[in-house]
Amino acid sequence: HRLRHDSVIVDTFQGQYRSTVVCPDCDRVSVTFDPYMYLTLPIPTKTERNILVILTRLPTTQQLPGKRELHSLESQTGFLGDQKITPRPVKYSVTVPINGIVQDLRVKLGALSNIDSTRIVFSRMSLNRLQDQPLDDKMSLDHLKGLNICVVAYEVDYPVYE
């Protein structure tokens, strides 16, 4: 037996399971050895996945420095006026439950970007075009799978969700 089955594979992956049974009537002990060649083990499944989202924030206001003139009110503050600055879109990788909904994505993105999550609206983009209306909060994230689909998010002025 050892001559035919002496290998690294047999030594690593095969073995014997020892089973001991005691008879409750006569107290006889039976020991058996059952060979095994493989073990059945569960394969762990993923519980989360990452979704790439491009977030566009609201424009911010920045004061422009001006020349100091003694006779104007603006010269006392040192500013001539305000300028709206639109931030560049930022790409986020958001970890959500594998069977999650758009609401899960919205809450996680709000936490990552320090935006109130009730002021975030999502849409799908495919081939550089918006596909449809804003995504429903209860929609499954499975609808966001695809090679050419990109998820875009927009910060809005007012809360959209409660």
Side-chain angles (χ1 to χ4, degrees), residues 60-113:
T60 57
T61 303
Q62 179 181 359
Q63 293 183 334
L64 297 174
K67 296 180 182 176
R68 294 192 182 266
E69 296 177 11
L70 296 176
H71 300 292
S72 79
L73 178 64
E74 294 170 345
S75 68
Q76 293 172 2
T77 62
F79 294 98
L80 286 176
D82 295 339
Q83 176 187 14
K84 290 228 178 217
I85 297 175
T86 303
R88 296 184 108 166
V90 178
K91 188 183 290 188
Y92 288 91
S93 178
V94 184
T95 303
V96 292
I98 197 95
N99 296 323
I101 58 176
V102 171
Q103 180 182 9
D104 300 327
L105 181 62
R106 186 171 46 78
V107 169
K108 294 276 185 140
L109 180 62
L112 281 173
S113 61

Side-chain angles (χ1 to χ4, degrees), residues 5-20:
H5 299 292
D6 190 22
S7 73
V8 175
I9 301 297
V10 170
D11 293 343
T12 305
F13 296 108
Q14 291 183 3
Q16 292 185 359
Y17 179 73
R18 180 181 173 180
S19 175
T20 305

Side-chain angles (χ1 to χ4, degrees), residues 40-76:
T40 304
L41 299 174
I43 296 175
T45 57
K46 287 179 142 184
T47 59
E48 295 181 327
R49 69 178 180 144
N50 290 332
I51 295 181
L52 289 177
V53 178
I54 299 173
L55 173 65
T56 302
R57 299 191 72 139
L58 286 174
T60 57
T61 303
Q62 179 181 359
Q63 293 183 334
L64 297 174
K67 296 180 182 176
R68 294 192 182 266
E69 296 177 11
L70 296 176
H71 300 292
S72 79
L73 178 64
E74 294 170 345
S75 68
Q76 293 172 2

Side-chain angles (χ1 to χ4, degrees), residues 16-27:
Q16 292 185 359
Y17 179 73
R18 180 181 173 180
S19 175
T20 305
V21 179
V22 179
C23 177
D25 295 334
C26 65
D27 290 333

Side-chain angles (χ1 to χ4, degrees), residues 53-59 86-90 92 102 105-106 109-110 113 115-126 128-135 150-161:
V53 178
I54 299 173
L55 173 65
T56 302
R57 299 191 72 139
L58 286 174
T86 303
R88 296 184 108 166
V90 178
Y92 288 91
V102 171
L105 181 62
R106 186 171 46 78
L109 180 62
S113 61
I115 297 175
D116 178 13
S117 66
T118 62
R119 295 182 11 197
I120 297 175
V121 177
F122 291 100
S123 187
R124 285 184 283 207
M125 184 180 284
S126 179
N128 294 328
R129 291 186 162 190
L130 290 177
Q131 282 191 333
D132 51 17
Q133 300 294 322
L135 301 180
C150 176
V151 180
V152 290
Y154 299 94
E155 179 186 15
V156 292
D157 287 328
Y158 52 89
V160 179
Y161 302 99

